[in-house]
Amino acid sequence: MKLVRYGEPGQEKPGLIDSAGTLRDLSAHVGDITGAVLSDAALERLRALDPASLPAVQGNPRFGPCVGQIGKMCCIGLNYSDHAAETGAQIPEHPILFMKATSAIVGPNDTVVMPRGSKATDWEIELGVVIGKTAKYVSEADALDHVAGYCIVNDVSERDFQNKLTGQWTKGKSCDTFGPTGPWLVTRDEVADPQNLAMALDVNGQRRQTGNTSTMIFNVRQIIAHLSSLFTLHPGDVIATGTPPGVGLGMKPQPVFLKAGDVMELTIEGLGQQRQTVKADD
């Protein structure tokens, strides 16, 4: 299934995309697409519905983040060997973890707003993993059983805030609008192998990032096992699993960053597409 949330910010309704690409309303069956409806049993009940029996949604409504009420967004840094190389960083011994504030999370096509003083806002396409079952001390072998599905995340980053302001990476990762998520949550039964998904990001029609999840340093199983050994992952939590090479920070001979009016377009195989226009904060 492809589960979505559509409507104006704060008023999103639950829906699904049927096999013909039609948006169908799920409001009669669930209140929202949150962790409460992402268990295997709950998803199976939704899967049993006849999509043709669900009301078709007219027009072209906005898509919100594909998961509502996200408890935490865990982000893995430097998780592609070629991305680590382009930034001059060493391969980490363990997954690098930082958190993105949930207030940064927006819809897949919402405007990305560069904060005041920003000179180094950058793009990062990432595979998002949505937890469906509580995970604590989970083994690698069992890790994927705790996944509800997958989505696209743009881990937008302000590099000066991230690297030059005293403190943690979170400063450059959590600015408002810096977490476009969606357009839909694709349930895990429709993703045969999360470690073999092609990824691409364009800025103003020019390809910047090309990659595949097969080149992750730590795969999805390893990430879930590691994080769940440190703290509990709850249904509805999202893990952004790192970005392939091609970020603005790593461009040669000098970095290239976003400016007002730029357009980012992101795709991950089987997970849809995002499109964001960039503006400066007032």
Side-chain angles (χ1 to χ4, degrees):
M1 288 184 297
K2 293 181 175 66
L3 299 175
V4 301
R5 301 172 68 248
Y6 68 95
E8 294 306 304
Q11 302 177 29
E12 291 93 347
K13 297 180 180 180
L16 63 78
I17 306 296
D18 69 16
S19 59
T22 300
L23 172 58
R24 302 278 181 171
D25 180 46
L26 277 173
S27 296
H29 300 276
V30 294
D32 199 355
I33 305 299
T34 67
V37 301
L38 295 180
S39 68
D40 287 348
L43 291 176
E44 194 56 41
R45 287 192 291 271
L46 294 181
R47 198 174 285 112
L49 298 172
D50 177 8
S53 70
L54 303 171
V57 178
Q58 303 302 313
N60 295 292
R62 166 191 174 269
F63 283 133
C66 58
V67 183
Q69 301 177 28
I70 294 173
K72 50 185 176 288
M73 180 171 274
C74 307
C75 301
I76 307 301
L78 299 175
N79 196 33
Y80 287 71
S81 56
D82 34 12
H83 171 56
E86 74 175 347
T87 60
Q90 293 185 341
I91 300 298
E93 182 178 355
H94 306 286
I96 293 174
L97 173 67
F98 61 91
M99 310 298 280
K100 185 181 287 283
T102 55
S103 56
I105 299 170
V106 293
N109 304 313
D110 288 347
T111 299
V112 166
V113 181
M114 297 184 299
R116 293 178 183 177
S118 171
K119 297 180 180 179
T121 297
D122 204 348
W123 54 84
E124 290 194 13
I125 185 171
E126 309 208 0
L127 172 67
V129 178
V130 182
I131 298 299
K133 182 170 68 174
T134 300
K136 180 69 172 175
Y137 302 127
V138 171
S139 69
E140 291 182 22
D142 296 334
L144 296 189
D145 294 339
H146 296 260
V147 173
Y150 303 91
C151 63
I152 303 172
V153 174
N154 189 355
D155 176 23
V156 184
S157 308
E158 213 302 336
R159 300 302 188 186
D160 285 354
F161 294 5
Q162 175 186 352
N163 297 318
K164 296 180 181 180
L165 297 183
T166 303
Q168 302 296 321
W169 285 6
T170 302
K171 289 183 177 182
K173 300 286 191 172
S174 291
C175 304
D176 295 347
T177 76
F178 272 25
T181 302
W184 37 72
L185 184 164
V186 180
T187 52
R188 75 172 189 268
D189 58 300
E190 294 194 10
V191 180
D193 183 3
Q195 302 307 148
N196 187 26
L197 300 175
M199 316 165 71
L201 181 147
D202 295 347
V203 178
N204 301 329
Q206 183 174 359
R207 182 59 44 89
R208 292 301 191 188
Q209 288 186 275
T210 301
N212 191 290
T213 57
S214 62
T215 64
M216 284 184 185
I217 298 168
F218 303 100
N219 63 32
V220 173
R221 290 181 182 273
Q222 292 170 316
I223 291 167
I224 292 173
H226 180 69
L227 296 186
S228 74
S229 74
L230 306 172
F231 50 80
T232 302
L233 295 169
H234 295 282
D237 288 348
V238 176
I239 305 170
T241 56
T243 198
V247 299
L249 179 65
M251 294 187 68
K252 302 294 189 291
Q254 61 184 18
V256 175
F257 297 116
L258 294 166
K259 61 185 183 302
D262 284 349
V263 175
M264 294 178 283
E265 295 177 285
L266 300 76
T267 59
I268 297 182
E269 182 180 354
L271 303 186
Q273 179 176 359
Q274 297 186 354
R275 185 181 190 275
Q276 301 109 25
T277 299
V278 179
K279 65 168 286 188
D281 204 356
D282 296 333

